[in-house]
Amino acid sequence: MREPRRERANILGPVLLIAIGAVLLLNTLGILEWNVWLSLIRLWPVLLIAAGLDLLLGRHSVWGSLVAAILVLGVLAVALWLASTDAAPGGSGLVAEGVRQPLGTATSAEIVVSPAVGRLQMEALPEEASLVQGTIYRARNEEVEQVFEGGTRATYTLRAGQVSWAPFGTWSFDRRLWEVGLSPGAVLDLEAEMGAGEVVLDLTGLQIEGLRVEMGQGRAEVRLPAEGRFEASVDGAIGETVIVIPDGLEARIQASTALAVRKMPGGYRRDGDVYTSPGYDGAANRVDLTVNQAMGAVTVRPAE
């Protein structure tokens, strides 16, 4: 009687999970920057090759699974090397494009800024004349779209159009830089979206009535304004979220973290996943903040 054939153990899956867990651990410990995920995205076709080799050879030979596992570890090593050698965002090899939208008669505005990858920096403009003004360092084959509708309640959208997602592309993939200034003379409902990269929002001096930040993979840092009563939400998939609460702004924070480390300010009253600052009730300046992070780390801290 023929003995049933025993299938060989699949080692690719465990190796992949261990590699991802190791990267996340190094991220949360501050040993490894979150931009390593940009490099991993660039190398994703190699992971498909490894999975294919494992399916084709792994069940018949342990060497097939070993080759696939070595490819996964090789991708991780190359990603770490790329993350450590990438230069600062912007600079040569990219096209600098200026953007400017006059404020006009607007006293309030809904603004959406949506790069695909790279780094987004936003802050208050020194003057009120422009609703939005800044510089975008984009890839040569990338388009930037602007849509504006005027009036006392204006709407403005600035987003990436055609985007180069070449998997083995050059360093310009994650050196794209959007430097965007916003008018302090209008009440803003602001939305920032990023697929992969880094978002740094310094909202000091701005009038905010609503804020939404959506981050796929990478790091988001948001410094809230000290004045106003508004709602804000920051959503991240994989990466790090840092929110700075300035002096004089009270906060109620709803935190939802699946596999993310959570660090909240000391002295806040906790009720389940809700954290409330001591002076929140009746405060003239306060924020209702919702933070969602799937994997990584969430830090909410007072301004230094």
Side-chain angles (χ1 to χ4, degrees):
M1 182 176 181
R2 180 181 300 177
E3 294 184 359
R5 185 178 61 183
R6 293 181 297 176
E7 293 188 356
R8 297 186 182 273
N10 184 347
I11 65 174
L12 176 61
V15 168
L16 184 59
L17 290 176
I18 292 171
I20 292 174
V23 173
L24 288 172
L25 177 61
L26 294 175
N27 289 148
T28 56
L29 292 176
I31 299 174
L32 186 64
E33 296 293 334
W34 290 95
N35 64 353
V36 68
W37 292 98
L38 286 173
S39 300
L40 288 171
I41 292 174
R42 283 157 55 176
L43 299 171
W44 65 265
V46 179
L47 299 180
L48 292 182
I49 295 172
L53 286 174
D54 186 61
L55 289 174
L56 182 64
L57 304 175
R59 295 184 178 183
H60 304 287
S61 170
V62 70
W63 293 107
S65 290
L66 285 175
V67 170
I70 290 171
L71 278 176
V72 170
L73 295 177
V75 167
L76 178 59
V78 173
L80 294 174
W81 177 78
L82 289 173
S84 64
T85 57
D86 276 341
S92 60
L94 299 176
V95 177
E97 179 178 340
V99 295
R100 182 178 182 272
Q101 178 58 56
L103 180 61
T105 61
T107 57
S108 64
E110 298 176 13
I111 296 179
V112 178
V113 181
S114 180
V117 296
R119 179 182 172 93
L120 170 63
Q121 298 178 184
M122 301 180 70
E123 61 183 4
L125 291 168
E127 300 179 354
E128 301 179 1
S130 297
L131 175 63
V132 176
Q133 184 173 333
T135 304
I136 294 176
Y137 299 89
R138 59 174 176 81
R140 296 186 181 277
N141 62 340
E142 182 180 7
E143 297 177 355
V144 176
E145 301 176 354
Q146 299 183 70
V147 179
F148 176 73
E149 294 184 8
T152 56
R153 177 73 173 182
T155 61
Y156 177 82
T157 300
L158 178 65
R159 61 173 174 255
Q162 178 183 348
V163 182
S164 172
W165 282 90
F168 297 101
T170 64
W171 44 260
S172 64
F173 176 85
D174 47 11
R175 291 187 67 196
R176 296 170 186 168
L177 171 62
W178 289 35
E179 296 177 325
V180 180
L182 304 175
S183 173
V187 178
L188 304 179
D189 187 328
L190 178 61
E191 181 174 346
E193 302 174 348
M194 173 73 80
E198 184 175 20
V199 173
V200 179
L201 306 184
D202 185 352
L203 306 181
T204 304
L206 293 174
Q207 304 178 62
I208 300 295
E209 67 176 10
L211 173 67
R212 292 170 300 283
V213 180
E214 296 185 5
M215 188 72 183
Q217 295 179 341
R219 183 177 187 273
E221 180 175 337
V222 181
R223 181 177 293 269
L224 298 174
E227 298 181 354
R229 299 184 67 162
F230 57 96
E231 295 182 356
S233 65
V234 181
D235 297 334
I238 300 175
E240 180 184 23
T241 296
V242 177
I243 300 172
V244 180
I245 308 290
D247 292 339
L249 182 69
E250 303 295 335
R252 181 170 61 190
I253 305 165
Q254 171 77 48
S256 176
T257 53
L259 299 176
V261 177
R262 184 187 304 182
K263 298 179 182 179
M264 294 293 168
Y268 277 42
R269 182 177 70 254
R270 180 176 182 179
D271 182 8
D273 290 332
V274 178
Y275 301 78
T276 307
S277 63
Y280 173 83
D281 295 329
N285 301 305
R286 70 186 195 185
V287 59
D288 287 287
L289 174 63
T290 301
V291 183
N292 299 306
Q293 185 77 38
M295 300 173 63
V298 172
T299 301
V300 181
R301 60 175 177 82
E304 298 176 353

